Amino acid sequence: MFNRILIANRGEIALRIIRAAKELGIKTVAVYSEADRNSLHTQFADEAVCIGKANPQESYLNISAIISAAEITDSDAIHPGYGFLAENYHFAEICESCGIKFIGPKIENIKTMGNKTEARRFMAKHHIPIIPGSKGNVASKEEALNTANKIGYPLIIKAAAGGGGRGMRICHSDVRLLSSFTTARSEAEAAFGDGNVYIEKYIEAPKHIEAQIAADNYGNVVFLGERECSIQRRHQKLIEESPSPAVNKKLRRKIAEYALRGAKSIGYSNVGTIEFLLDTKTQKIYFIEMNTRIQVEHTVTEEVTGIDLVKLQIMLAAGEKMPSKTEMTENKKHAIECRINAEDPEKNFIPSAGKIEALYTPGGFGVRVDTHIYSGYSIPPFYDSLLAKLIITTKSRSESIETLKRALSEFVVEPIKTTIPLHQRIVEDPVFIRGEYTTHFLDRFLEERSE
Ligand code: ADP
């Protein structure tokens, strides 16, 4: 087992990793930017090292500063969390070449799955259904038109190196395809340093369903249930739940089969998520991408399975075998997570920074709050807007919704504008309550309310 882990991240996930490491008896090192000097992760870790300026390029994405911090503190492993360097295989390579264990999958796994066209090709080769689309990257307008001829409209142009819901363009006609193609490529180049794009058929009423898997270095791979993450804004998740109200036993078996086959075929190790879209019109399920890291919404899986996924990540990276009973027991629980973001839903979700004057986090039966904020904390304007994750777990979905309503009504983050009032309205919506929502739910919900 490791002696000391450096956490190359900030916010709630840095705290989450520090807590898991502490419980395993491992020392922790926090790194922080000048803007995060007063962040809780710097105080909860055994040591903290400043790695640069507020701008992420100069701190949380600054590979040499992070590696130096690991070497100075004699850390034998680095946990990247999510975002920042979590899916950067170059970073994983540098860690390994410096004799520091990267807590995540093998470098080749990150590389293959990080390229979405490669990932599509890989899954198709192993008979996992992918959304009809281009064979690989689409290099010219001519190729784009050929693909459109084959699959028909609507279609979606996506960045091969894409992530975070950015750089996707929906097209309904040749004219739109031709005008979007060049901009999509230059946007992808600017955002991800890779201008390659590919095309998929645009599924008009999908649900986002993802499979949590875990694998050790000895070929043992387990499926830990699915999560539904269809409540999204601009392709970014806002509410996640497990199990999905749309998945019955038969569909779950199919998801498990695809996820396990995909992970085994690539020789995957550590925890990972295989994402699918479920076409609610045809009930067909298609692979969209694999995330080779811990996800924000891992918590709902933890709650329904009783498995600490961050501890599991650390243990698997240290070379331990998959513990017995790491499995999804027949679902006896239901968990829902709301992302509490510092954004104003009334003003097109503009970020809300500033000092938190009053904070009250809900508690009681079935309530978990993962957060790095505290009363007196100043939210820096440089990073993502996630302030807290409110996770509710009870025996059934309907009970979880009732507890969620109660917990949301207790939550106070003053004077910051947050997504709490929006969540309060969503959980009252009949479509949400029936579990019949698709990825378009939130856009329609917001449109209807602004009319
Ligand atoms: P990212 O890596 O940027 O998160 P994904 O491929 O995981 O991108 O897709 C994010 C979201 O975008 C999906 O959950 C879904 O809402 C939407 N999306 C992606 N591909 C399609 C598609 N072919 N048809 C309809 N919606 C899609």
Side-chain angles (χ1 to χ4, degrees):
M1 188 43 86
F2 306 117
N3 290 317
R4 190 174 283 110
I5 295 177
L6 179 141
I7 296 110
N9 216 302
R10 64 178 301 284
E12 70 85 23
I13 193 62
L15 285 187
R16 173 73 192 84
I17 300 161
I18 292 169
R19 287 175 172 144
K22 271 192 182 164
E23 290 174 23
L24 289 169
I26 301 169
K27 293 255 181 289
T28 53
V29 178
V31 292
Y32 63 95
S33 72
E34 286 172 7
D36 273 340
R37 211 169 278 285
N38 297 321
S39 277
L40 274 192
H41 74 286
T42 66
Q43 293 166 45
F44 279 27
D46 296 297
E47 288 168 76
V49 182
C50 183
I51 47 165
K53 296 213 164 68
N55 175 358
Q57 291 296 342
E58 294 180 59
S59 47
Y60 300 106
L61 292 171
N62 183 343
I63 295 179
S64 53
I66 293 169
I67 297 288
S68 304
E71 285 181 336
I72 294 164
T73 54
D74 203 17
S75 300
D76 45 6
I78 293 185
H79 195 308
Y82 53 68
F84 296 125
L85 297 168
E87 287 172 295
N88 182 323
Y89 72 83
H90 178 59
F91 177 60
E93 252 168 10
I94 294 174
C95 289
E96 303 281 292
S97 68
C98 294
I100 301 164
K101 182 74 195 162
F102 176 83
I103 301 179
K106 298 178 189 111
I107 294 161
E108 307 84 69
N109 297 164
I110 307 175
K111 208 169 180 172
T112 310
M113 291 301 149
N115 183 319
K116 291 163 90 175
T117 38
E118 282 291 314
R120 265 168 67 82
R121 200 175 287 135
F122 182 89
M123 294 296 172
K125 192 171 136 204
H126 292 92
H127 310 290
I128 294 154
I130 56 167
I131 300 176
S134 55
K135 266 208 158 150
N137 294 329
V138 178
S140 66
K141 287 186 177 178
E142 204 183 0
E143 244 186 84
L145 284 175
N146 282 342
T147 310
N149 270 338
K150 259 185 238 143
I151 63 171
Y153 290 100
L155 52 78
I156 182 166
I157 311 176
K158 297 169 75 169
R166 289 176 302 154
M168 283 183 255
R169 278 171 179 259
I170 301 153
C171 305
H172 288 86
S173 66
D174 283 358
V175 176
R176 190 58 200 263
L177 176 64
L178 291 174
S179 65
S180 297
F181 184 73
T182 319
T183 21
R185 278 175 61 96
S186 41
E187 267 177 21
E189 179 68 50
F192 312 109
D194 175 352
N196 284 313
V197 296
Y198 64 105
I199 290 176
E200 275 178 358
K201 177 93 188 155
Y202 181 68
I203 298 180
E204 290 184 81
K207 274 178 167 279
H208 177 115
I209 313 270
E210 56 187 37
Q212 177 70 56
I213 57 112
D216 65 15
N217 296 339
Y218 316 98
N220 302 303
V221 191
V222 294
F223 166 70
L224 297 172
E226 83 281 356
R227 295 185 284 260
E228 170 154 2
C229 318
S230 308
I231 308 284
Q232 306 178 348
R233 184 177 167 270
R234 300 211 168 134
H235 309 301
Q236 286 180 30
K237 301 159 187 169
L238 200 64
I239 300 181
E240 303 100 343
E241 58 182 312
S242 182
S244 161
V247 174
N248 58 22
K249 275 191 184 164
K250 193 171 158 215
L251 182 55
R252 184 167 299 117
R253 267 201 301 274
K254 199 182 263 183
I255 294 169
E257 182 201 319
Y258 293 156
L260 291 173
R261 196 188 311 146
K264 281 181 188 163
S265 310
I266 200 173
Y268 197 79
S269 61
N270 218 277
V271 309
T273 300
I274 306 197
E275 297 192 336
F276 300 92
L277 286 187
L278 172 69
D279 186 336
T280 56
K281 289 185 182 152
T282 60
Q283 289 302 307
K284 282 192 180 156
I285 190 141
Y286 303 98
F287 166 82
I288 46 168
E289 68 158 342
M290 178 167 191
N291 288 323
T292 53
R293 56 169 165 85
I294 195 80
Q295 288 193 268
V296 176
E297 62 273 22
H298 72 277
T299 45
V300 290
T301 301
E302 292 187 324
E303 293 299 317
V304 294
T305 59
I307 296 164
D308 183 324
L309 289 174
V310 179
K311 271 191 200 162
L312 184 62
Q313 274 196 298
I314 297 171
M315 286 154 61
L316 295 173
E320 291 191 13
K321 271 199 161 169
M322 186 71 68
S324 61
K325 296 204 177 130
T326 308
E327 60 192 26
M328 192 195 54
T329 45
E330 221 17 74
N331 279 313
K332 292 198 180 77
K333 288 184 182 174
H334 194 96
I336 308 182
E337 173 180 279
C338 288
R339 297 193 192 189
I340 313 298
N341 296 336
E343 292 166 356
D344 186 353
E346 296 294 320
K347 294 206 177 112
N348 203 24
F349 294 83
I350 54 162
S352 171
K355 187 172 173 185
I356 298 171
E357 304 288 353
L359 175 71
Y360 182 80
T361 51
F365 187 77
V367 180
R368 165 177 171 183
V369 179
D370 278 20
T371 184
H372 58 292
I373 61 173
Y374 56 87
S375 187
Y377 174 71
S378 286
I379 303 164
F382 311 102
Y383 311 111
D384 74 43
S385 60
L386 183 68
L387 289 184
K389 305 190 302 200
L390 170 63
I391 307 113
I392 305 296
T393 314
T394 68
K395 285 212 285 295
S396 67
R397 186 167 189 272
S398 55
E399 254 184 88
S400 288
I401 292 175
E402 290 313 312
T403 306
L404 184 53
K405 286 182 195 167
R406 189 270 292 165
L408 283 166
S409 74
E410 291 175 8
F411 216 135
V412 177
V413 191
E414 290 293 342
I416 306 301
K417 296 285 182 204
T418 73
T419 45
I420 296 170
L422 174 65
H423 286 301
Q424 286 181 295
R425 297 203 304 268
I426 295 173
V427 296
E428 297 286 353
D429 184 273
V431 176
F432 177 78
I433 291 171
R434 290 199 301 273
E436 288 169 358
Y437 54 83
T438 67
T439 56
H440 301 297
F441 170 88
L442 195 54
D443 286 339
R444 288 199 189 127
F445 182 85
L446 293 168
E447 250 169 52
E448 279 162 22
R449 295 191 63 87
S450 65
E451 271 164 12

